[in-house]
Amino acid sequence: MVEHCPFKAGVLGSSPSRLTRTQRIHGSQPFSDAGATDFPNSHNAKASCWDEGMKDILYGSASRMARALRAKKLSSVELIRAHLDRIVAVNPKLNAVVQLAEEQALAEARKADRALARGDLRGPLHGIPFTLKDAIEAEGLVSTGGTEGRKSFVPSQDATVVRRLRAAGAILLGKTNCPELGWAWETDNLIYGRTNNPYDLSLSPGGSSGGESAIIAAGGSAFGLGSDAGGSVRFPAHCAGIASIKPTSGRVPRTGHFPGPGGPIDSIWQIGPLARSVEDLELVLLVISGPDWHDAAVVPMPLGEARAVELNKLRVAFFTDNGIAPPEAEVAEAVRRAAQALAEAGASVEEARPPEIEQTFEIFRALFCADGGAGLEALLTSAGTTRFHPLMERALEIQRRHACSMPEYGALVSRWDAFRRAMLGFMQRYDVLLSPVSSQIEMIHGSTYDRLPSFSYTMTYNLTGWPAAVVRAGTSSRGMPIGIQLASRPWEEHVALAAARVIEESLGGYHQPPL
């Protein structure tokens, strides 16, 4: 067992279990008077768990942590304290964690240790810490969705996915930052300010689940949940060098997410896991999947096992350029290295691109702008928001500019259906479609609406509703992570994850940031 840290019981819990105080810290550059979130640190830095043998554990996989806990090589209390300590150390620079549940997490860890001592294993995530994107509700923790109208909103119950994680033994550490209503491929809002990338603090960790990608990459959380309507769990994973998956539309219930499910483009978005290891994505997905009898889009479809996939029977198509946004040379090179790794593992690999994919950006933008921003404005009004972040202002301006009439909308939906049919026809010949996550490697703060076509690589699989995983496949000349994307047929998440595991093992996967 890792040597016990010299903390007295309740030291971390000396502040309220639901942290309500936030402080500005130097170095934050938000759009408003909001600043980076700092938490009171009652730890002795020289005597912290971080300094006493936890480094390898904290940068490892959640699956490895679970195995160590079951083998009683460390306790849940030690693990939770070490993660809390790490958050305190890195959050002033990252501004990733915006609500922290110290007392509650430690109390649950003590219960987990007592249960394990009795031989009572609650589930596959027994005693393992996790974090949540601030759009996903957790009982008793402020859940803003990044918009000012909800800055004091406290949910009375957990989202379905949170309840399922807790039932599997996982312990919630806190909530992480996101842009207003999730409407950006970066992470910044008027309540908490912007979140920074642990590989380069002058850059964004992506969005909209950028708080998750930043704190997971920095070793402050074992895994987390985000949501994805255009790449929002995949693009942050690319930016921060971790793994993620957007499941098939209808796989995971979104009850308790803000904004909630429903509407004419409901099939475009899903909740999905982010982690440092591909094996963790499958573990978490097994826990959170399946109907909850509230989200009407979710069906009881079995989830396959990645280990059952026969790599020598896998048919892989890859492309480096989608015909919309030409990739940087190092992005294309990463995709080719990934293709080579799959070929060496026994898969049949060929370069091929669905012709219809070039329509992605036009269809996606048209769908999101069809009502001229009326739906988004109504959502902001219902939340009580009267002041918008500059990125939200840009989104609304673009929507107003691209509004369409009802006849035009009918034609658009028909075009979308034709796109999905054509894409599905292409996959009759393949099991996996390998591509870039984005045309660009680095995400500059404030640049979302100056580079929308670069996100078309992820938008494609929101339009089709297929599962798509991301894993790190390289490092740029500036030391930044480069992810690649693996899409598979509907309901075949296990195939995408099996291919991602090959690339992770062959090309190195996650690397610790220099933070």
Side-chain angles (χ1 to χ4, degrees), residues 89-113:
V90 301
N91 206 58
K93 295 180 180 178
L94 297 178
N95 192 33
V97 178
V98 295
Q99 295 289 327
L100 196 63
E102 297 182 14
E103 280 186 354
Q104 182 178 346
L106 283 167
E108 291 178 9
R110 286 189 284 269
K111 289 180 182 178
D113 288 337

Side-chain angles (χ1 to χ4, degrees), residues 419-436:
F419 173 85
R420 289 187 289 190
R421 288 194 298 271
M423 289 290 292
L424 193 61
F426 179 85
M427 289 300 281
Q428 184 176 6
R429 303 187 298 278
Y430 303 102
D431 304 297
V432 173
L433 188 52
L434 165 66
S435 73

Side-chain angles (χ1 to χ4, degrees), residues 220-255:
S221 178
F223 70 92
L225 294 182
S227 49
D228 188 315
S232 290
V233 301
R234 289 165 291 156
F235 183 61
H238 160 69
C239 291
I242 61 172
S244 70
I245 185 167
K246 180 197 78 67
T248 305
S249 295
R251 170 73 73 186
V252 178
R254 298 156 297 172
T255 308

Side-chain angles (χ1 to χ4, degrees), residues 18-19 98-99 132-159 162 172 174-178 181 189 191-192 256-259 383 385:
R18 278 86 173 181
L19 192 71
V98 295
Q99 295 289 327
L132 284 175
K133 179 181 182 177
D134 196 30
I136 303 172
E137 296 177 355
E139 180 184 355
L141 281 178
V142 171
S143 180
T144 72
T147 193
E148 276 197 332
R150 286 170 57 99
K151 64 183 178 183
S152 300
F153 176 75
V154 179
S156 60
Q157 60 184 7
D158 287 336
V162 179
L172 179 62
K175 307 291 292 296
T176 58
N177 209 17
C178 65
L181 304 186
N189 60 58
I191 303 170
Y192 300 118
H257 184 285
F258 180 79
T385 298

Side-chain angles (χ1 to χ4, degrees), residues 315-331:
R315 299 167 299 171
V316 179
F318 79 93
F319 63 90
T320 59
D321 188 334
N322 67 357
I324 302 168
E328 295 180 26
E330 289 179 309
V331 170

Side-chain angles (χ1 to χ4, degrees), residues 133 176-179 182 184-187 195-199 204-217 225-245 272-275 437-438 440-441 443 455 458 470-472 480-483:
K133 179 181 182 177
T176 58
N177 209 17
C178 65
W185 281 263
E186 59 191 281
T187 300
T195 298
N196 301 317
N197 193 312
Y199 289 89
S204 171
S208 58
S209 308
E212 282 301 310
S213 66
I215 200 62
I216 292 168
L225 294 182
S227 49
D228 188 315
S232 290
V233 301
R234 289 165 291 156
F235 183 61
H238 160 69
C239 291
I242 61 172
S244 70
I245 185 167
L274 301 92
V437 183
S438 169
Q440 297 175 310
I441 297 169
M443 184 62 190
F455 308 121
T458 50
V470 167
V471 66
R472 183 170 180 168
M480 298 302 293
I482 306 173

